[in-house]
């Protein structure tokens, strides 16, 4: 069940429009059991733009007209989160406020229940958010969160290429940087990679850090996706 990551990456390679890319992404998250999705751009913990959203009728209009981003704990948590998180884990210290609990209640009434958010950090306070959620009461499948993260990062990279038309510089990784990232793709720890490549755990960390910096990635998953996309890491 679910979408194979390599298949999704391959299917996005020849997409020529943001609309077609969105269709592929929605099909991929649908295979994971999610029904709602949104791609938002934020700055300084406020919503700046909403390139697209696929929610039940009335939700987006209510969210924007009520300025819900001011109280939405998901937007606030994304500011310092370095990876995907379940909405139930977005609670600030001391728990959700009465206003936030009311917000979640109104979301459920509009057909937006449990979900996860993937933050992608840009320059300064700029953070792009990809959120997926359910329309019925249920808990988001946490065991597939890393997979959803990788699907979302690939979507974001391709979206930037299509919509933002960002120029992509040529990246050259050393053989050891490539090997370390390749084994990261297989879910190996630094220690396991060191054992496989017969190098120290510290050297693995060093090589991964260099590879991430060259690729402009702020974490390993993003680096792996970018490496695959650029043809540096085999599928």
């Amino acid at each position: 069940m679910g979408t194979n990551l390599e298949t999704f990456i391959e299917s996005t390679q020849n997409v020529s429009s943001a609309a077609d890319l969105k269709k592929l992404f929605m099909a991929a998250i649908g295979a994971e059991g999610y029904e709602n999705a949104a791609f938002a751009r934020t700055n300084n913990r406020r919503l700046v733009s909403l390139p697209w959203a696929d929610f039940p009728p009335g939700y987006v209009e209510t969210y924007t007209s009520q300025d819900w981003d001011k109280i939405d704990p998901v937007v606030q948590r994304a500011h310092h989160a370095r990876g995907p998180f379940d909405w139930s884990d977005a609670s600030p210290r001391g728990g959700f406020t009465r206003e936030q609990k009311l917000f979640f209640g109104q979301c459920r009434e509009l057909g937006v229940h449990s979900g996860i958010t993937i933050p992608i950090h840009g320059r300064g306070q700029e953070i792009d958010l990809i959120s997926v959620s359910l329309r019925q009461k249920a808990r988001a499948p946490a065991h597939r969160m890393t997979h959803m993260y990788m699907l979302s990062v690939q979507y974001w990279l391709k979206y930037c290429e299509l919509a933002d038309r960002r120029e992509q510089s040529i990246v050259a990784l050393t053989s050891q940087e490539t090997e370390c990232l390749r084994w990261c793709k297989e879910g190996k720890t630094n220690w396991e990679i060191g054992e496989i490549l017969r190098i120290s755990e510290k050297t693995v960390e060093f090589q991964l850090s260099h590879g991430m910096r060259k690729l402009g990635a702020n974490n390993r998953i993003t680096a792996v996706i970018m490496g695959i996309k650029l043809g540096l890491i085999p599928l």
Side-chain angles (χ1 to χ4, degrees):
M1 181 180 176
T3 300
N4 180 274
L5 177 64
E6 287 81 2
T7 301
F8 179 70
I9 292 174
E10 288 180 343
S11 68
T12 63
Q13 294 304 316
N14 298 320
V15 169
S16 58
S17 73
D20 287 341
L21 178 64
K22 179 193 169 186
K23 288 179 183 177
L24 286 175
F25 183 67
M26 290 302 296
I29 69 163
E32 298 294 323
Y34 292 98
E35 301 157 289
N36 301 322
F39 173 40
R41 297 195 137 161
T42 70
N43 194 336
N44 197 26
R45 307 191 188 199
R46 290 299 307 276
L47 184 67
V48 174
S49 66
L50 193 65
W52 62 264
D54 199 321
F55 284 117
Y59 180 80
V60 173
E61 293 78 6
T62 303
Y63 190 102
T64 54
S65 66
Q66 298 294 323
D67 288 332
W68 275 352
D69 59 317
K70 291 181 180 180
I71 61 171
D72 186 350
V74 171
V75 173
Q76 307 308 312
R77 168 68 183 273
H79 178 72
H80 55 79
R82 290 294 167 181
F85 59 89
D86 190 291
W87 291 356
S88 63
D89 296 327
S91 173
R93 290 183 180 180
F96 292 120
T97 65
R98 182 178 178 278
E99 193 175 26
Q100 288 171 333
K101 290 177 180 177
L102 179 61
F103 158 73
F104 277 129
Q106 290 174 302
C107 287
R108 289 191 288 271
E109 289 177 6
L110 291 169
V112 179
H113 285 260
S114 303
I116 62 173
T117 290
I118 294 91
I120 303 173
H121 293 255
R123 293 171 295 182
Q125 303 294 312
E126 295 178 358
I127 303 175
D128 287 350
L129 306 179
I130 295 177
S131 292
V132 298
S133 59
L134 310 172
R135 296 194 178 185
Q136 302 295 326
K137 184 177 180 179
R139 186 172 177 82
H143 69 288
R144 296 286 285 177
M145 193 176 291
T146 298
H147 181 72
M148 288 298 302
Y149 188 15
M150 298 181 83
L151 288 175
S152 298
V153 168
Q154 170 58 17
Y155 166 81
W156 180 81
L157 289 170
K158 187 65 179 180
Y159 176 88
C160 290
E161 179 185 321
L162 292 172
D164 295 351
R165 303 296 179 188
R166 298 180 184 179
E167 293 185 3
Q168 200 168 56
S169 59
I170 297 174
V171 177
L173 298 179
T174 66
S175 59
Q176 203 162 76
E177 289 166 352
T178 301
E179 282 298 296
C180 287
L181 284 170
R182 183 170 75 84
W183 286 110
C184 266
K185 172 178 172 285
E186 302 301 323
K188 303 297 183 183
T189 65
N190 284 2
W191 181 85
E192 290 171 328
I193 295 172
E195 289 294 298
I196 293 168
L197 301 181
R198 297 184 179 180
I199 57 178
S200 70
E201 190 172 351
K202 188 173 182 179
T203 299
V204 172
E205 185 176 347
F206 177 80
Q207 296 296 335
L208 287 173
S209 177
H210 270 246
M212 287 165 54
R213 186 167 65 250
K214 287 180 180 179
L215 290 164
N218 60 12
N219 58 59
R220 299 181 184 196
I221 291 179
T222 303
V224 167
I225 294 295
M226 292 180 72
I228 294 173
K229 179 179 174 61
L230 294 172
L232 302 172
I233 301 173
L235 289 171

